[in-house]
Amino acid sequence: MRSSGLSSSRICQRGVRKARARILDQDEIAALVAACPGDLQALVLASLYTGCRIGELRAMRRSAFNSEAGSLFVHATKTGRSRNIILSYEAVEFFAGITRGLDEKQLVFRRIDGLPWTITGHSARMRKVSADAGLDPAIVFHELRHTYASGLLMAGVSPFVVADQLGHADCTQVIKTYGHVSAAFAVDQIRRLSPRIAASPTGARKTPGKPVAPIDRHARRTRRAPAHQT
């Protein structure tokens, strides 16, 4: 069975308590998506593309998707404020496909039998597809939101932008909950993005130049003998 691990390195901020959140790697995402039937797969992909909560997706209507702007409007809920989510090119194609032919007021996500998703209707099916995909413990739907946010941060997206995408008032919650980064990613960011310091501090030891070749005492230049006077 697959087991999801967490990197021990994470983005930290003074005064913000660290929190652990399970995030899926690319192999786990691929396995989960492949194991999902069509109706559940649409929900899973939508959350991975947007970070939306299950309640937000259940209530989403065709009018939420703006194909020209490449964005998704999410109405305010009890757990979040209304927001416009900027979609990646891949996400735009996904939503264009699943909303094709729908009226503005129609629900975007429905079960295979055509009925709306219930509050917990996805839970048992998530446990089943997790087992089918070899994922242990089973994936909880909200962990797809963690995965989305962490993926943005690891791609270099500002925590302030991620907070807007998720509907948070500021980036404190993002750093606390979603700011996990691998040690390799942190090293790459520091070494690639740190500003170069051109000048050396006063008194700093200069970098040695090209070493001077030792003198070959056996290869002295032969002195020219004085010419005889005639």
Side-chain angles (χ1 to χ4, degrees):
M1 303 285 278
R2 294 177 184 265
S3 179
S4 292
L6 284 175
S7 169
S8 59
S9 300
R10 61 196 66 207
I11 297 174
C12 300
Q13 177 174 304
R14 182 175 296 179
V16 177
R17 182 176 58 84
K18 297 179 182 178
R20 296 179 62 87
R22 180 185 182 184
I23 58 177
L24 306 182
D25 60 31
Q26 290 300 313
D27 290 340
E28 292 168 329
I29 291 172
L32 176 65
V33 171
C36 288
D39 56 348
L40 183 60
Q41 186 181 85
L43 277 178
V44 168
L45 286 172
S47 185
L48 289 170
Y49 282 137
T50 65
C52 283
R53 304 172 179 89
I54 183 62
E56 295 170 337
L57 294 176
R58 287 179 49 246
M60 187 172 292
R61 298 185 183 276
R62 166 62 184 85
S63 57
F65 174 55
N66 186 329
S67 59
E68 293 183 2
S71 63
L72 195 70
F73 181 75
V74 178
H75 290 278
T77 63
K78 292 181 179 180
T79 54
R81 57 197 183 102
S82 59
R83 64 194 186 278
N84 265 309
I85 298 174
I86 302 169
L87 301 175
S88 66
Y89 291 123
E90 185 179 356
V92 170
E93 292 182 4
F94 168 76
F95 278 97
I98 64 172
T99 59
R100 188 174 293 116
L102 295 180
D103 294 333
E104 290 293 290
K105 294 184 179 181
Q106 282 187 283
L107 292 173
V108 175
F109 301 99
R110 290 181 177 271
R111 300 185 323 195
I112 192 65
D113 57 10
L115 296 175
W117 286 94
T118 60
I119 297 176
T120 58
H122 65 285
S123 300
R125 297 179 67 185
M126 286 291 290
R127 289 192 293 271
K128 181 182 184 304
V129 296
S130 294
D132 293 342
L135 296 169
D136 183 33
I139 302 300
V140 177
F141 198 89
H142 199 74
E143 290 168 343
L144 305 179
R145 180 174 166 88
H146 294 321
T147 300
Y148 168 78
S150 297
L152 291 183
L153 290 168
M154 292 183 70
V157 178
S158 165
F160 295 97
V161 175
V162 176
D164 283 339
Q165 291 284 94
L166 297 176
H168 294 312
D170 55 51
C171 68
T172 302
Q173 187 66 26
V174 170
I175 294 173
K176 172 183 174 182
T177 309
Y178 306 110
H180 305 287
V181 292
S182 66
F185 174 74
V187 170
D188 174 72
Q189 290 286 284
I190 294 298
R191 292 179 177 172
R192 185 165 56 87
L193 301 179
S194 292
R196 295 181 62 84
I197 310 300
S200 299
T202 304
R205 185 177 180 181
K206 293 184 178 180
T207 303
K210 184 178 180 180
V212 179
I215 298 175
D216 186 352
R217 297 183 182 277
H218 298 289
R220 292 180 177 177
R221 181 180 299 176
T222 303
R223 290 184 179 180
R224 181 178 295 178
H228 295 289
Q229 294 181 355
T230 56

